[in-house]
Amino acid sequence: MSIVQKIKTDPRLKALALYLLMPKNQAKPRWWVRQFMNPFYHKKEHDAVFQPKARLDVLPFNQFTVGKSSVIEDYAVINNGMGPVHIGANTFVGLFDVVIGPVTIGNHVIIAQNVVISGLNHGYEKVGMPIKDQPCTVGEIVVEDECWIGANAVITAGVRIGKHSVVAAGSVVTKDVPPYSVVGGNPAKILKRYNFDTAQWEKQQTLQKPVLI
């Protein structure tokens, strides 16, 4: 058993490790972790840009990678505490975005402002315990290449956004999105899909509810 596995399986060692890595009840790593550990554990291509006010709540026990020519804008938050975060090449993470792993974002992706992409869910079933103290569950989010995520959208745990798809501003995505689709609404539904036979983006027919008289 490796040292990391031993720490993860021993509650006392795990508690000690977390205390050394970050202050209690905080997600932001301690200064020494950011300065001396993360640069050696995480892969950032040399021309990727982290704007000075971007907040990287990343820890060495989960992966964090960023591809070439990608940009993480000011006030964006990246958190890999519950799972790895992988961001591809030529991808833009906008102002005030929140990305909580496990999340994989592909190449040439545009993520507009105030978007939440969270692979984390809080437990709530035990009514005698505060929600913040209950165990969390995770489900990896995958945003495939060439997608555009509109401002104020929310993508929930376990969702896959297919290649070259668009999520309209303000949408809440709770189910997988097929490739080459446009979705919108709360919960998000398919509005258009690209038809390779006709080379057109085609609106999707919505079922009409029967009128009761």
Side-chain angles (χ1 to χ4, degrees), residues 39-58:
F40 298 100
Y41 281 89
H42 300 137
K43 183 180 178 182
K44 171 194 172 188
E45 295 294 341
H46 70 278
D47 57 350
V49 176
F50 296 164
Q51 295 293 5
K53 294 182 180 179
R55 178 168 163 171
L56 303 180
D57 291 349
V58 294

Side-chain angles (χ1 to χ4, degrees), residues 3-211:
I3 294 175
V4 173
Q5 289 174 325
K6 188 173 182 179
I7 290 172
K8 287 184 175 181
T9 55
D10 187 318
R12 292 177 298 177
L13 290 177
K14 185 176 181 180
L16 176 60
L18 289 174
Y19 171 79
L20 294 173
L21 292 171
M22 57 188 179
K24 186 177 180 180
N25 296 326
Q26 295 186 38
K28 190 173 185 177
R30 295 187 187 275
W31 178 86
W32 71 271
V33 176
R34 301 195 304 270
Q35 298 298 319
F36 300 110
M37 292 191 71
N38 286 343
F40 298 100
Y41 281 89
H42 300 137
K43 183 180 178 182
K44 171 194 172 188
E45 295 294 341
H46 70 278
D47 57 350
V49 176
F50 296 164
Q51 295 293 5
K53 294 182 180 179
R55 178 168 163 171
L56 303 180
D57 291 349
V58 294
L59 295 159
F61 53 73
N62 283 319
Q63 291 183 322
F64 172 53
T65 62
V66 180
K68 65 179 182 179
S69 302
S70 289
V71 176
I72 298 178
E73 266 290 0
D74 282 328
Y75 307 107
V77 178
I78 310 294
N79 186 303
N80 75 339
M82 292 295 292
V85 175
H86 298 290
I87 299 172
N90 298 288
T91 286
F92 182 83
V93 179
L95 292 161
F96 298 99
D97 289 345
V98 176
V99 179
I100 301 174
V103 172
T104 297
I105 299 170
N107 305 315
H108 303 281
V109 173
I110 304 170
I111 304 175
Q113 302 76 34
N114 297 299
V115 172
V116 176
I117 301 175
S118 178
L120 165 71
N121 271 322
H122 288 279
Y124 63 89
E125 289 83 0
K126 299 177 182 178
V127 296
M129 179 186 294
I131 291 175
K132 75 178 186 66
D133 296 330
Q134 297 193 35
C136 296
T137 59
V138 295
E140 184 185 16
I141 294 172
V142 177
V143 180
E144 296 182 1
D145 296 346
E146 304 174 17
C147 290
W148 172 23
I149 312 299
N152 300 300
V154 175
I155 301 175
T156 60
V159 165
R160 176 179 287 267
I161 309 295
K163 182 178 180 180
H164 204 99
S165 289
V166 177
V167 175
S171 300
V172 178
V173 185
T174 60
K175 295 181 179 179
D176 290 354
V177 175
Y180 303 96
S181 300
V182 178
V183 300
N186 181 7
K189 297 180 180 179
I190 299 174
L191 305 178
K192 294 181 182 180
R193 294 191 71 173
Y194 188 77
N195 187 326
F196 282 89
D197 293 329
T198 62
Q200 297 288 329
W201 287 92
E202 299 177 352
K203 291 183 178 180
Q204 299 298 290
Q205 298 295 322
T206 57
L207 295 175
Q208 297 288 336
K209 291 184 178 180
V211 178

